[in-house]
Amino acid sequence: MAEPRTAKLTFDGKEIELPILSPTAGPDVLDIRKLYAQGDVFTYDPGFTSTAACDSTITFIDGGKGELLHRGYPIDQLAEKSHYLEVCYLLLYGELPSAAALEKFETTITQHTMLHEQMGNFFRGFRRDAHPMAVMVGVVGAMSAFYHDSTDINDPRQREIASHRLIAKMPTIAAWAYKYTIGQPFVYPRNDLDYASNFLRMCFAVPAEEYHVDPVLARAMDRIFTLHADHEQNASTSTVRLASSSGANPFACIAAGIACLWGPAHGGANQACLEMLKEIGSPDRIPEFIARAKDKDDPFRLMGFGHRVYKNFDPRATVMKQSADEVLDLLGVENNPILATAKELEQAALADPYFSEKKLFPNVDFYSGIILEAMGFPTSMFTPIFALSRTVGWISQWKEQLEDPQMKIGRPRQLYLGDTARDYTEIESR
Ligand code: SDX
C-alpha cells in the first residue's frame, strides 16, 4: 500500500502535514480541512481561483485542452449523438439510460410540464416590462409554496420528484415569462411534442392559428439546451450548493442559482454579447472595441470572451458556431451582419497578443445569442434559456451534495481588516 502523499507547511516554528488528494482527472488537491485547527491560520482565495469547494463525479473540464466531460462523455459527442433529456438522465443518474429507462424518464418529464393553475396569477403580478429573469426568480422560488410534497430534502423520493418537476416545468415558466412581457396569452404544453419543440411552441404559438415547429430549429434548440446543461462549480452552481447546505428546499436553491446566473459576467453574458455586437454594428468598428477591451482604464470587456477555467477554445463555443451557420442558412439569413461582425471580431481578437497571451478565447456565450435572435427570441430571453438549460446541472449537483455524508453547511472565513474593538462614543462627543 503506497504511503499517503502529503505536503509540509512550515511557518512560525510549526510544521503541518497536509494530505494530498488524487483526482481521477485534473490537478491534485491539497486537503486543508485541518489547517485552522493545527495551524491557527486561514487560507485566502477570493473568487476561489485555487480552491476546490467539494468533490464531484458529474462534470469535468480540462481548461488547457478545451475539453468538457459529462460523466466522462465529451460534450461534442453528446451534442452530436444525444439529446437534452438523455443528457438530463445522464447528469442525474450517472449513466446513459437503456431505451426503456429513457422512455420512462421522458414520459415522466412530459407529464410534469404543466404549472399549478394558481401560479398563473404570479406572472400577472409583475409589470409587463419586467425582465423575464426577474419573473423566473420569483416564480421558481414560489414553487416552494405550491409543491409542498417535494420539499423534504431528506426523502430521496421527494428529491427525485422535485428534480423532475423542475426540469419539466422550467420551459413552461420561461415561455410564460416571455408571453407575459409581450402581452400574449399563455400557451399550454403539449404531451405529443418533444421537450425543445414544446418550448418553441409555448413561446411562439398564438391561439389564432396552428403553429408548426421546424425540426431543424427544434434540433438547434435542443442542442443549445445540451450545451448549457452543466459546468462544474461555476458561480451559479456554487450558489445552489451553498443554499442547499443550509437545508433550504430545492425550489429556493434553484431560485438562488437563477439570481446568480443573471449577472453579465456569468449567464447574462449572452445577452450582453449580442448587445455588444449590435453596438459594434459593423466590422470596421472592431478595432475601436478591441482597443477598449485592452484599455486598463476602460471597464469594457469583450462579452462572450474569456473564461476562468478554459485557457483554450470553449468546446461549447465550437459546437455553437457550427449550429449558428446551420440555423442562419436555414433561415436564409446566412449573410447576417451580426454573425459577420462576430466572426471578424473573433478573428481580430485571436490575432491580438493581448488576448492570446491572456488565453482569452470565445466562450459558450459568444455565438448563442446570434442563434437565439435568429430564432426569434428577444435578448431578454437569452439568459432565461440558459437558466432553463442549466436547471438539470444545478439539481444534479444539489442531489449529489445532499447524498454526500460529509456534507456540512458552507461557512467561509475572512481576512479581517476592519477596526479592532473600541468603545461606543456618545453623539455629543463625536
Ligand atoms: C459563463 O464558470 C463557468 O463555467 C461559467 C460558464 C458556465 O457554463 O457556467 O462557462 C458560463 O459565465 C461564461 C463566461 C461569460 N462571461 C463573459 O463572457 C463576460 C466577459 N468575460 C470576463 O468577464 C471574464 O473573462 C470572466 C468573468 C469570464 C472570467 O474572469 P476571471 O477568470 O476572473 O479572469 P480575470 O477577470 O482575472 O481576467 C484575467 C485577465 C485580466 O487582465 P489582467 O488584470 O490580468 O491584466 O484577462 C482580462 C482581465 O482584464 N480579461 C479580459 C476579458 N476577460 C478577462 N479582457 C477583455 N475582455 C474580456 N472578456
Side-chain angles (χ1 to χ4, degrees), residues 231 234 264-267 269 293 296 301-308 316 354-355 358 360 363 365 386 390:
H231 214 240
N234 57 83
H266 189 14
K296 276 275 163 251
R301 286 194 164 181
L302 222 45
M303 303 316 284
F305 252 78
H307 198 277
R308 172 63 59 77
R316 301 169 298 174
Y354 172 91
F355 294 90
K358 291 179 187 292
L360 301 174
N363 58 48
D365 295 304
F386 193 151
R390 184 55 56 88

Side-chain angles (χ1 to χ4, degrees), residues 47 49 61 68 227-237 261 263-270 272-273 276 289-290 292-296 298-311 314 316 354-355 358-366 386 390 394:
T49 54
I61 300 168
L68 168 58
L227 292 174
H228 288 83
D230 190 48
H231 214 240
E232 284 192 3
Q233 307 310 319
N234 57 83
S236 52
T237 297
L261 185 77
H266 189 14
N270 51 17
C273 180
M276 173 192 74
F289 281 80
I290 293 265
R292 283 189 56 198
K294 292 160 63 175
D295 180 354
K296 276 275 163 251
D298 188 331
F300 172 78
R301 286 194 164 181
L302 222 45
M303 303 316 284
F305 252 78
H307 198 277
R308 172 63 59 77
V309 178
Y310 289 120
K311 302 309 170 191
D314 179 338
R316 301 169 298 174
Y354 172 91
F355 294 90
K358 291 179 187 292
K359 299 190 184 306
L360 301 174
F361 293 87
N363 58 48
V364 68
D365 295 304
F366 191 69
F386 193 151
R390 184 55 56 88
W394 290 330

Side-chain angles (χ1 to χ4, degrees), residues 347-395:
Q347 292 313 313
L350 294 177
D352 188 306
Y354 172 91
F355 294 90
S356 51
E357 284 161 13
K358 291 179 187 292
K359 299 190 184 306
L360 301 174
F361 293 87
N363 58 48
V364 68
D365 295 304
F366 191 69
Y367 283 102
S368 57
I370 295 165
I371 303 174
L372 293 173
E373 178 174 79
M375 293 168 86
F377 291 104
T379 52
S380 60
M381 276 302 288
F382 292 3
T383 310
I385 289 167
F386 193 151
L388 182 174
S389 313
R390 184 55 56 88
T391 294
V392 65
W394 290 330
I395 208 69

